[in-house]
């Protein structure tokens, strides 16, 4: 599985938490860390061919950064069937925004998780096959 922050998000605790949780669930994880350029995320996804790509945002710019990133990921035919999810703080207004979720899913995310929705995230992960990242 591949975990990444967004290009403008310098937070790391969320990425470490997700990595540890996924490893505890039995998955091998590559963690790209904070502020990776979109091109790096795509290149690493092509190199590793993960079962799941997790995009995490804490700074509130998840919607804008995530929308741009999913377009770059889905532009690659080899990543068309890769499960890609985004979660965390998607906007700076502090409101739950169904419109953001709808737009992110329409752009190509398989799921969108608001802050603290670990139960649904774990359920999605538990349905995915275990495969080591090479």
């Amino acid at each position: 599985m591949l975990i990444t922050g967004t290009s403008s998000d310098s937070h790391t605790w969320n990425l470490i938490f997700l990595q540890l949780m996924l490893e505890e669930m039995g998955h091998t994880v590559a963690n790209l860390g904070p502020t990776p350029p979109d091109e790096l995320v795509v290149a690493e996804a092509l190199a590793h061919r993960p079962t799941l790509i997790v995009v995490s945002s804490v700074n509130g710019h998840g919607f804008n950064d995530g929308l741009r990133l999913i377009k770059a990921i889905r532009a690659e035919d080899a990543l068309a069937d890769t499960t890609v999810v985004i979660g965390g703080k998607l906007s700076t207004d502090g409101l739950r925004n169904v419109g953001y979720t709808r737009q992110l899913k329409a752009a190509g995310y398989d799921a969108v998780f608001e802050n603290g929705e670990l139960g649904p995230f774990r359920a999605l992960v538990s349905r995915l096959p275990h495969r080591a990242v090479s």
Side-chain angles (χ1 to χ4, degrees), residues 104-121:
L104 289 165
K105 283 185 171 181
Y109 282 100
D110 295 285
V112 178
F113 300 98
E114 296 282 335
N115 278 333
E117 290 186 321
L118 289 179
F121 175 71

Side-chain angles (χ1 to χ4, degrees), residues 6 24 30-31 41 43 57 65-66 73 75 86 91 95 99 112 115 129 132:
T6 62
E24 285 178 357
N31 188 337
V41 176
S57 174
D65 291 346
I73 291 170
I86 188 169
S91 70
L95 302 173
V112 178
N115 278 333

Side-chain angles (χ1 to χ4, degrees), residues 60-73:
H61 300 288
F63 174 73
N64 292 326
D65 291 346
L67 194 58
R68 188 185 61 251
L69 177 56
I70 194 64
K71 290 177 182 179
I73 291 170

